[in-house]
Each structure stands twice: as C-alpha cells, then as structure tokens.
Amino acid sequence: MRVLVTGGAGFLGSHLCERLLAEGHEVIALDNLFTGSKKTIAPLLGRTDFEFIRHDVVNPILLEVDWIFNLACPASPIHYQYNPVKTVKTSVMGTLNLLGMAKRVRARILQASTSEIYGNPTEHPQKESYWGNVNPIGPRSCYDEGKRVAETLMMDYHRQNDVDIRIVRIFNTYGPRMAVGDGRVISNFVVQALRGETLTIYGDGSQTRCFCYVDDMIDGFLSLMQYEGEDRFEPVNIGSCDERSMNEIVDCLGDVLGRKLDVTFKPLPENDPVRRRPDTTRAKERLGWSSKVSLADGLARTVDYFRKTLKM
Ligand SMILES: NC(=O)c1ccc[n+]([C@@H]2O[C@H](COP(=O)([O-])OP(=O)(O)OC[C@H]3O[C@@H](n4cnc5c(N)ncnc54)[C@H](O)[C@@H]3O)[C@@H](O)[C@H]2O)c1
C-alpha cells in the first residue's frame, strides 16, 4: 500500500510511519511541523520507501495513495489553545480536504478522533454509543468540538459519497517521542522526576485517567484500518482500561525510579474531566484488540527515552 500519514512527524504519527514501513508499506508523512519535528522521523528520512512533505492540511493537496491516516492536529492543551481558531480549522478544513482527496483517489481514510469528544462524561466507562457532555464555548472546545465535527464529516462523506472511513477514538496515550514541555501528564511527571524537580499535580490528584502505551495504540490503528466487518464505519474506542488517579501514577513512577517523588498541588484547569475510562468491548469483539503493556513497563520505557533525550 501507499500510505499517507498526516501529522506524521508528531508523537503518534512517527510511531505509525515506522510500523507501516516495517510492514512493507510505502509511506508519505505530511506535517506542518507545528508541534511535530523532523527529529522524530530522522532515522526514516534517507529511505526510498519514505517521503516527507511539509504541508498544512488546511490547504488542499492531492496525492495518489491507498490509505490515509489523518492525525494532523495539535493534541496537548497548551498547543491546541495557543491558536484555537487554527485548531478548529485544522480539524474541520483539514478533515474536509483529506476526505475530498479520499473520495477523488478512492482511498480508505482513518480519522484520529479522541476521548475528548465525550467531554466531562456523565456515563462511566464511556461506550461509543454515548453522545458526550461537551462545553461548546469553553477553552477546550476548539479541540473537542473540532474533533466532533471531523467525525460528522467522516460519517457524511461515507453516507453521501460512499467514502471508505474508519474512526478511532483515542484515549490518553504515552511513550517515547512525546515532546518535552508539552504539558501532558506522563511527559511532565517523567521530565520533572528526571530533573530532580517536585512533580506538579493539578487538582488534588484524585482525578483518573487510563494511559495506553504507544505500541498498543498503533496496533489498534492498524487493526481498525484492516477491519472488514459490516460495522467497520462505526467509531471504535482504543485505550487502556487500567484506570489510575494522578496520585497513583506518581507512586508507580516512583517505583520505576526506585525513589519517593515529591509533589506540589496546583488548581485544576477549567473543564478538566474528573474521570475517564473507555469501554473497549467493541475493540475486543471486532478487532480482537486489548492493551498489553503494563503501566510500569510503559513508564520504564518512557523513562529510558527521556533519560537519553535529556542526557540525564
Ligand atoms: N496522544 C494522545 O494521547 C491522543 C489522544 C487523543 C487523540 N489524539 C489525536 O492523535 C493525533 C496525533 O496526536 P499526537 O499525540 O501524536 O500529537 P502531536 O502534537 O505530537 O502530533 C500532531 C502532529 O500534527 C501536526 N499538525 C498540527 N496541525 C497541523 C496542520 N494544520 N497541518 C499539518 N500538520 C499539522 C503537528 O506538527 C504534529 O506533528 C491528533 O489528531 C490527536 O488529536 C492523541
């Protein structure tokens, strides 16, 4: 297959490009390098089966490909709130442009959606049938609502134009190549711990998340892209079900590092969800997917990566 990965120089995109190449596909990574970096794909740049295109998905482009993975969008709050209008444009115009391309060249397209489309959920755990509880006018709305419209566009292009779509609802994912200072929980904690700093917990640390290791997430993307069941156009949650409070994550990281970590508490940001856990029955039943890497193992691999990157 010739495969286009938008957001290919980002955290998840770079892992996906690597995996696709390992499976024998030809890969084009497209990215405007807003939050991504050529460093993440540096080892791939000389290969004849890999190409990098610097391009912004808000502008149309036409490429002859078989598969499109649309991952282009800043994912961490500090990045997507930096220019909220641009974030909406990236999700809405970017997805429109790629759907137009998919229709024209008859490519299969997978949209990277998010657990954020459930907002601050009133149903727990969250099934794909849950419509969500999202603030349309808050500081997180540019991301949450942008991704909701992206899902709408995917379904409408499918119903109206028979485009072959897949929608993955990604829950918190972590691992090597997360950007230092991107404000995400695991990278923040690991970087602060390695620098010998006090760890910052927002709120009282009782809020929960489930963290999925990146390799498991990429398995999920590929399984969904290749899934041929009749129900293949419906969204699928991919994420770990191992629900942990922020305080528990700090304890687990302390175990990995073999020392007790100091913490300081700061106010919780506006509209930050209190609990988050996917119902992954659909992923299990349809794709045979479940997460495999434990939090302790995943944290140990992430610590190794940041040790090398920060030269600690
Ligand atoms: N990592 C997670 O926990 C998580 C959770 C839910 C959803 N997602 C989704 O997965 C995708 C990848 O996330 P990530 O964690 O790798 O984030 P990331 O910020 O590392 O990667 C996003 C990439 O998209 C690129 N990009 C942003 N705007 C663009 C534009 N207008 N045109 C072209 N490229 C653009 C960035 O430069 C970056 O390389 C995103 O769509 C995100 O919303 C991620």
Side-chain angles (χ1 to χ4, degrees):
M1 298 282 181
R2 292 194 75 201
V3 186
L4 172 65
V5 178
T6 76
F11 161 50
L12 294 179
S14 63
H15 284 273
L16 177 60
C17 289
E18 217 173 65
R19 181 75 72 84
L20 287 163
L21 288 167
E23 296 198 358
H25 303 292
E26 245 179 75
V27 176
I28 304 173
L30 180 153
D31 205 297
N32 70 351
L33 301 180
F34 171 45
T35 55
S37 155
K38 275 198 195 169
K39 278 190 196 146
T40 65
I41 47 167
L44 313 179
L45 284 171
R47 294 178 61 140
T48 50
D49 49 2
F50 182 76
E51 223 175 304
F52 173 72
I53 301 177
R54 187 169 184 156
H55 178 82
D56 194 310
V57 292
V58 306
N59 301 310
I61 187 166
L62 189 67
L63 297 164
E64 291 286 341
V65 291
D66 304 299
W67 281 355
I68 302 167
F69 288 86
N70 185 27
L71 272 57
C73 185
S76 97
I78 49 171
H79 291 144
Y80 70 65
Q81 287 169 2
Y82 171 76
N83 183 345
V85 173
K86 177 66 193 263
T87 300
V88 175
K89 276 188 178 172
T90 295
S91 274
V92 177
M93 294 165 66
T95 307
L96 255 178
N97 286 329
L98 289 153
L99 278 162
M101 188 205 296
K103 178 183 163 197
R104 176 96 181 263
V105 304
R106 300 200 147 272
R108 179 174 297 177
I109 177 167
L110 177 144
Q111 172 64 18
S113 187
T114 167
S115 56
E116 304 292 341
I117 64 110
Y118 297 121
N120 193 356
T122 53
E123 186 181 297
H124 194 79
Q126 293 83 52
K127 285 198 184 75
E128 291 86 349
S129 54
Y130 177 54
W131 289 355
N133 177 34
V134 178
N135 176 357
I137 55 168
R140 300 172 73 104
S141 312
C142 59
Y143 183 72
D144 305 1
E145 298 287 20
K147 290 284 188 179
R148 287 170 68 94
V149 174
E151 286 200 13
T152 307
L153 285 167
M154 293 286 287
M155 288 308 297
D156 284 335
Y157 261 78
H158 168 62
R159 283 187 288 247
Q160 208 173 317
N161 300 109
D162 206 23
V163 174
D164 188 6
I165 61 156
R166 304 287 186 277
I167 300 171
V168 57
R169 292 186 179 154
I170 305 168
F171 282 66
N172 294 72
T173 307
Y174 72 101
R177 296 196 210 127
M178 294 181 90
V180 175
D182 69 359
R184 295 196 243 190
V185 178
I186 301 277
S187 46
N188 266 9
F189 284 171
V190 171
V191 170
Q192 287 180 318
L194 288 177
R195 287 181 171 154
E197 297 168 0
T198 303
L199 274 59
T200 315
I201 293 185
Y202 295 93
D204 64 2
S206 63
Q207 74 273 29
T208 66
R209 293 289 185 281
C210 302
F211 288 99
C212 183
Y213 188 69
V214 60
D215 290 358
D216 283 334
M217 183 56 61
I218 303 300
D219 284 345
F221 286 5
L222 291 172
S223 306
L224 180 59
M225 195 55 149
Q226 290 165 57
Y227 178 59
E228 299 285 359
E230 265 183 21
D231 42 16
R232 61 193 179 278
F233 308 119
E234 294 173 359
V236 178
N237 289 338
I238 300 283
S240 160
C241 297
D242 181 12
E243 187 175 354
R244 307 280 187 119
S245 69
M246 297 303 119
N247 295 322
E248 287 172 317
I249 305 272
V250 172
D251 290 344
C252 188
L253 180 58
D255 291 344
V256 167
L257 293 170
R259 62 190 160 90
K260 175 135 183 38
L261 300 169
D262 294 328
V263 294
T264 175
F265 296 93
K266 288 200 176 157
L268 202 61
E270 198 180 327
N271 297 142
D272 198 51
V274 182
R275 292 188 81 184
R276 194 50 87 53
R277 175 154 62 93
D279 182 315
T280 54
T281 311
R282 195 173 272 188
K284 275 191 204 95
E285 288 179 358
R286 297 184 186 177
L287 314 177
W289 181 91
S290 56
S291 63
K292 297 193 173 59
V293 180
S294 70
L295 183 63
D297 278 357
L299 282 178
R301 295 184 207 178
T302 309
V303 164
D304 276 353
Y305 166 78
F306 278 110
R307 262 206 184 110
K308 283 185 203 125
T309 308
L310 302 171
K311 300 192 171 56
M312 310 289 291

